[in-house]
Amino acid sequence: MASFVVGLRRFLGALALLLLAHQAAAAEPPAFVGRSGSKLVVNGSPFLFNGFNAYWLMNVASEDQAKVSKTLSDAAAAGLTVCRTWAFNDGGNPSLQSSPGVYNEKMFQGLDFVVSEAKNHSIRLILSLVNNFKDYGGRSQYVQWARDAGESIQTDDDFYTNAKVKQYYKNHVQKVLTRVNTITKVAYKDDPTILSWELMNEPRCEVDYSGQTVTAWVKEMAAYTKSIDSKHLLQVGFEGFYGNSTPDKIKLYNPNGYQLGTDFITSNQVNEIDYTTIHAYPDIWLQGQSEEARKTFLQQWFSSHWNDSVKVLGKPLVFAEFGKSKTAPGYSQKVRDDFFSYVYDVIYSDAETSGGSFSGGLVWQVMGDGMESYYDGYEVVLSQDSTTTAVIKKQSDAMAALEKRLSGSHH
Ligand SMILES: *[C@@H]1O[C@H](CO)[C@@H](O)[C@H](O)[C@H]1NC(C)=O
Ligand SMILES: *[C@@H]1O[C@H](CO)[C@@H](O)[C@H](O)[C@H]1NC(C)=O
């Protein structure tokens, strides 16, 4: 009898705890990631993360949801909490937008699944709205649509200036932001699972290297995006190339002094842009140069953009793409692990020094199993590449601990 009562009490106690835990989880309002000065914040405290790219999630989800679930659950197990992916696939087959304003519902439901499943794994999404490059349609597909509609188009760079093309782009922005998720029933613009929008993956412009054309486009599209959705953060999608507003920095920091038609400073000065991004591929950008030269470049790339983000722009910085290709000369898994560790150490120490202005990094790219057809040399298959996964996990834990420490000192 007595032992029955103790047993019952234990059982009820455990049940009460379970219910409490459940209530706490259910009661906690999902919070949007916001910005306070040069920091990303959530619930008033600095938001730090370790994250990854997986551009293909929507496409794969429209065909094979299990692969998306596996990728997201492996990522969550490695402590990754932010994922950057494409909310576009223009023209082509299969596509999200097959022609201007015409959408493939099955593909859109793939994106619904990605958002819902990310939420279930406590992963936040950065959703990019168009590509600079031809993969998945991009700028080139948009101007082709306008050409087909009788517009006089000179080059793909008319994307930034042709009124009809700009309207097509705005229509797409509106379509995605106001989409009501068929699984969660929440409109994308109201869903805190989405960390931010990205105007374009890696904007570039050949007809105007100064950066002014792209900055004018950023101004117009950033204002438009925020007019539909003022809850979410917004970023451009830049690699970080300097333009005409900082001639000294073009020479000092752009790889080989190249200009690619963007101006890191003037575009990121636009009011509606909340945080800055850089990408870095020194193996490709500095071909034929020594490992030492690449490391020096990377150090300066970090340091100059971080200085500019915090001191000139007063906005947080995210390292939105970096990776190590298996095709790089001298590649080994150890070389990749060392490279990741190096990048992670810089992110961590800058995040620590600044109390959170360097918010985190996104490795290109992470995959679950059975994704061979998406291998691009940069893939990290979390369940198979155990040493790299350990390096990633270590950084996730470090950033989470730092976030905790910084929010502790915040109250
Ligand atoms: C996420 O979890 C909810 C509640 O458990 C479930 O209804 C939903 O189907 C899940 N989402 C996905 C994409 O599996
Ligand atoms: C960034 O700022 C620090 C501190 O002011 C300075 O020491 C460093 O040289 C700057 N880095 C670059 C690349 O400008």
Side-chain angles (χ1 to χ4, degrees):
M1 183 70 186
S3 76
F4 170 71
V5 170
V6 170
L8 184 67
R9 264 201 212 124
R10 272 208 199 120
F11 171 71
L12 288 174
L15 190 67
L17 274 179
L18 258 175
L19 286 174
L20 268 178
H22 185 258
Q23 263 174 7
E28 197 169 310
F32 282 84
V33 175
R35 170 169 80 95
S36 170
S38 63
K39 281 162 204 166
L40 296 182
V41 293
V42 69
N43 290 322
S45 298
F47 175 73
L48 299 179
F49 64 87
N50 193 24
F52 65 107
N53 285 276
Y55 70 89
W56 39 267
L57 287 172
M58 170 181 73
N59 259 54
V60 172
S62 73
E63 315 237 292
D64 186 348
Q65 297 185 337
K67 284 182 180 157
V68 168
S69 298
K70 175 69 173 144
T71 299
L72 293 175
S73 67
D74 285 356
L80 295 164
T81 56
V82 173
C83 170
R84 176 169 172 264
T85 194
W86 295 172
F88 62 80
N89 187 347
D90 312 304
N93 189 26
S95 56
L96 173 63
Q97 184 178 199
S98 56
S99 57
V102 179
Y103 285 81
N104 173 353
E105 179 58 23
K106 185 170 171 237
M107 186 66 80
F108 234 145
Q109 287 180 10
L111 191 54
D112 291 346
F113 180 82
V114 171
V115 174
S116 165
E117 192 71 349
K119 178 184 177 194
N120 287 8
H121 287 99
S122 301
I123 289 174
R124 296 187 193 255
L125 299 171
I126 297 172
L127 295 179
S128 189
L129 293 160
V130 76
N131 205 354
N132 174 71
F133 305 103
K134 290 183 175 152
D135 314 75
Y136 285 30
R139 214 146 56 80
S140 168
Q141 177 64 74
Y142 271 81
V143 299
Q144 186 57 46
W145 283 334
R147 207 179 267 124
D148 294 346
E151 291 291 301
S152 152
I153 299 282
Q154 309 302 316
T155 73
D156 287 358
D157 288 331
D158 289 356
F159 177 88
Y160 298 112
T161 50
N162 178 280
K164 189 163 206 103
V165 178
K166 288 197 287 181
Q167 193 56 51
Y168 287 160
Y169 175 81
K170 287 181 182 170
N171 293 347
H172 178 65
V173 169
Q174 177 174 36
K175 187 80 182 181
V176 174
L177 272 54
T178 58
R179 165 82 175 177
V180 177
N181 192 311
T182 52
I183 302 167
T184 64
K185 314 296 180 207
V186 178
Y188 285 16
K189 67 186 180 65
D190 298 322
D191 193 337
T193 306
I194 295 164
L195 189 160
S196 87
W197 304 109
E198 171 179 296
L199 291 177
M200 180 189 275
N201 173 50
E202 301 189 342
R204 292 181 177 187
C205 177
E206 282 174 24
V207 298
D208 176 9
Y209 281 123
S210 74
Q212 284 174 21
T213 299
V214 168
T215 293
W217 181 84
V218 167
K219 254 186 208 148
E220 181 175 348
M221 298 312 165
Y224 180 75
T225 304
K226 287 276 181 166
S227 76
I228 298 174
D229 174 2
S230 56
K231 291 181 186 159
H232 283 111
L233 299 175
L234 181 64
Q235 53 113 332
V236 181
F238 271 167
E239 299 160 278
F241 291 86
Y242 289 103
N244 277 18
S245 73
T246 49
D248 49 328
K249 290 183 179 173
I250 295 172
K251 274 205 219 94
L252 278 171
Y253 306 123
N254 282 4
N256 302 315
Y258 287 149
Q259 277 179 269
L260 292 176
T262 62
D263 188 321
F264 180 79
I265 301 295
T266 57
S267 281
N268 282 313
Q269 268 165 344
V270 172
N271 237 337
E272 291 87 358
I273 297 300
D274 293 296
Y275 66 94
T276 70
T277 61
I278 51 171
H279 300 180
Y281 291 99
D283 294 342
I284 300 176
W285 293 353
L286 300 175
Q287 267 172 34
Q289 300 193 22
S290 69
E291 208 44 46
E292 216 33 56
R294 293 195 181 116
K295 207 158 219 182
T296 306
F297 159 78
L298 203 56
Q299 256 160 11
Q300 303 245 310
W301 197 243
F302 275 128
S303 156
S304 62
H305 288 92
W306 188 52
N307 284 358
D308 288 333
S309 296
V310 176
K311 294 174 199 159
V312 179
L313 300 161
K315 296 180 182 182
L317 170 66
V318 169
F319 193 11
E321 275 191 33
F322 67 93
K324 191 80 180 170
S325 172
K326 292 175 178 167
T327 65
Y331 176 87
S332 69
Q333 192 137 321
K334 166 114 180 37
V335 166
R336 181 167 76 177
D337 294 350
D338 290 347
F339 176 69
F340 283 16
S341 297
Y342 169 74
V343 168
Y344 285 153
D345 286 349
V346 174
I347 293 174
Y348 181 88
S349 83
D350 283 352
E352 187 178 39
T353 315
S354 62
S357 293
F358 208 144
S359 314
L362 304 160
V363 63
W364 183 278
Q365 61 165 329
V366 154
M367 292 183 181
D369 306 274
M371 301 289 314
E372 287 78 2
S373 66
Y374 286 87
Y375 284 6
D376 62 354
Y378 290 91
E379 69 279 353
V380 177
V381 183
L382 291 170
S383 60
Q384 295 166 24
D385 300 340
S386 60
T387 59
T388 310
T389 303
V391 170
I392 290 173
K393 177 81 166 63
K394 186 172 164 229
Q395 173 75 355
S396 303
D397 293 345
M399 293 299 275
L402 181 58
E403 183 188 66
K404 202 164 178 192
R405 182 146 61 84
L406 292 175
S407 45
S409 62
H410 216 252
H411 294 298

